[in-house]
Amino acid sequence: MNQFSLKDRTILITGASSGIGRSCSVECSKSGADLILIARNEEELKKTVSMLAPDTKAETIIADITGIENLEDLIAEKVAVSGKISGFIHCAGIEKTLPLKKHTPQLYTDIFAVNVISGFEIAKILSLKKYKNETSSFVFISSVAGMVGEIGKAAYSASKGAVVSGARSLAMELSRSGIRVNSVSPAMVNTPILEKMFENIGEDAAEEILKKHPLGIGEPEDVANACIFLLSDASKWITGSNLVVDGGYSAH
Ligand SMILES: NC(=O)c1ccc[n+]([C@@H]2O[C@H](COP(=O)([O-])OP(=O)(O)OC[C@H]3O[C@@H](n4cnc5c(N)ncnc54)[C@H](OP(=O)(O)O)[C@@H]3O)[C@@H](O)[C@H]2O)c1
C-alpha cells in the first residue's frame, strides 16, 4: 500500500488560484485526492481546475477569505457534494516588504487577516464532526520569515511566526478529535508573490537573498510534496511540527 496516497480523501485548499496553492492542488489531485478550492480570482481558479489530474472531483468557492459571512454554510454545501474532509492546506497568503516606518496598524491587520485568522477560522469549521472524517490533517503554510529575521518584514514575519505557534496549539487541542496539525516553512519559491517582492526590493537585495539559498530558489512542487507527506498516512505520527522546506536557507 502506498503510504503517501491521498486516494478517497477530500482536501480543502485556500490560495488555490496561484503559486504554491495551485501546485498543492495539482499534486494532491495526482495523489488521488478530490478537492475543494478557494480563492478570489475565478479565472485563475478555473485554470487550476483545468490542470488537475483527470477524474478529479473539484468544487470551488470564489471568495475573499477575510470577509465571508456565511463561510460555514458554503463549506457545508461543498461537503454535501464532495464528502467529509480529510485534509486542509491553508496556502492563501499576502506578503509586504516595507521599512518599519511604513508599517501601519492597518498593514498588520490586513496581513494577519489572510495569513493567520482566516486559516484558523476555516480550521475551526473543519474540526467539527459533521464536516470531518474520522482522521484529518491540517497544514498551514508559514515561511522561514517566521523563524529567521528579514529586513522590511515585521508584519509578515510576525504573521508567519503566529501561524507556526498557533498550529502547534491546534495540534494539542485537536489530537483528541483525530486531527493532526502541522506547518510548513518554505524559503523563496518561484511564484508571483516572489516576483512582486523582488520588484519592491531591487536587484542587489534580490541577488543577496538568492545567494543565501544553498540549493537555489525552490519550485512550488517542492512545497506541495511536503504538504502531501503531511496530509498522508506516511506522517501519521507527526503533529505539532514545523517542516522547514528551504533549500538550506535557515541552516546558515
Ligand atoms: N513564494 C514564496 O517565496 C513563499 C515563501 C514562503 C512562504 N510563502 C507562503 O506561501 C503561501 C502561498 O504563496 P505563493 O507564493 O503561492 O503566493 P501567490 O502566488 O501570490 O498566491 C497567493 C494566493 O493567496 C490567495 N489569496 C490572497 N489573499 C486572499 C484573500 N483575501 N482571499 C482569498 N484568497 C486569497 C490568492 O488568491 P486570489 O488572489 O485569487 O484571491 C492566491 O491564490 C503564502 O502563505 C506565502 O506567504 C511563499
Side-chain angles (χ1 to χ4, degrees):
M1 191 188 141
N2 177 4
Q3 296 287 309
F4 294 86
S5 170
L6 300 179
K7 201 168 168 340
D8 298 327
R9 294 178 196 203
T10 300
I11 312 291
L12 186 147
I13 303 176
T14 63
S17 61
S18 178
I20 293 171
R22 169 174 284 159
S23 180
C24 285
S25 309
V26 172
E27 299 306 319
C28 283
S29 77
K30 287 187 199 162
S31 296
D34 292 323
L35 302 169
I36 299 173
L37 306 177
I38 310 185
R40 292 166 301 183
N41 188 324
E42 187 168 7
E43 210 168 297
E44 290 299 322
L45 203 52
K46 274 190 187 153
K47 194 169 155 197
T48 300
V49 172
S50 75
M51 295 163 76
L52 302 176
D55 301 330
T56 305
K57 283 189 237 139
E59 291 291 315
T60 56
I61 298 176
I62 314 293
D64 180 334
I65 48 171
T66 64
I68 313 178
E69 273 172 23
N70 56 342
L71 181 60
E72 183 170 344
D73 294 342
L74 285 175
I75 290 176
E77 207 177 280
K78 299 300 177 184
V79 167
V81 179
S82 303
K84 288 186 176 180
I85 307 275
S86 299
F88 167 44
I89 314 177
H90 181 50
C91 265
I94 50 174
E95 191 273 346
K96 285 271 185 292
T97 307
L98 284 171
L100 184 60
K101 60 185 172 207
K102 296 244 167 96
H103 274 59
T104 58
Q106 193 60 49
L107 180 75
Y108 293 95
T109 303
D110 292 347
I111 290 182
F112 268 73
V114 180
N115 296 7
V116 186
I117 298 167
S118 46
F120 291 150
E121 281 295 300
I122 293 172
K124 181 171 81 183
I125 296 167
L126 298 183
S127 67
L128 300 176
K129 239 183 180 169
K130 53 186 164 178
Y131 305 126
K132 66 172 277 290
N133 268 320
E134 205 172 313
T135 60
S136 186
S137 169
F138 296 170
V139 180
F140 290 87
I141 305 298
S142 176
S143 164
V144 286
M147 307 151 50
V148 176
E150 287 177 10
I151 292 168
K153 295 267 175 66
Y156 180 72
S157 298
S159 77
K160 292 304 187 178
V163 166
V164 174
S165 49
R168 210 178 284 130
S169 284
L170 286 195
M172 294 302 100
E173 186 164 340
L174 299 179
S175 62
R176 69 191 89 150
S177 307
I179 303 172
R180 296 184 295 108
V181 186
N182 295 286
S183 54
V184 170
S185 289
M188 300 301 161
V189 180
N190 192 8
T191 71
I193 226 178
L194 186 70
E195 282 165 30
K196 266 184 241 154
M197 192 192 94
F198 279 0
E199 276 167 25
N200 281 345
I201 63 176
E203 248 176 58
D204 289 351
E207 193 54 43
E208 272 311 301
I209 292 177
L210 291 179
K211 274 196 225 148
K212 287 188 187 161
H213 291 72
L215 299 184
I217 295 289
E219 292 302 323
E221 296 74 33
D222 296 322
V223 181
N225 287 334
C227 293
I228 288 173
F229 167 62
L230 289 172
L231 291 172
S232 73
D233 288 346
S235 64
K236 68 180 169 49
W237 202 48
I238 301 179
T239 197
S241 78
N242 176 43
L243 180 51
V244 178
V245 182
D246 71 349
Y249 179 88
S250 61
H252 281 281

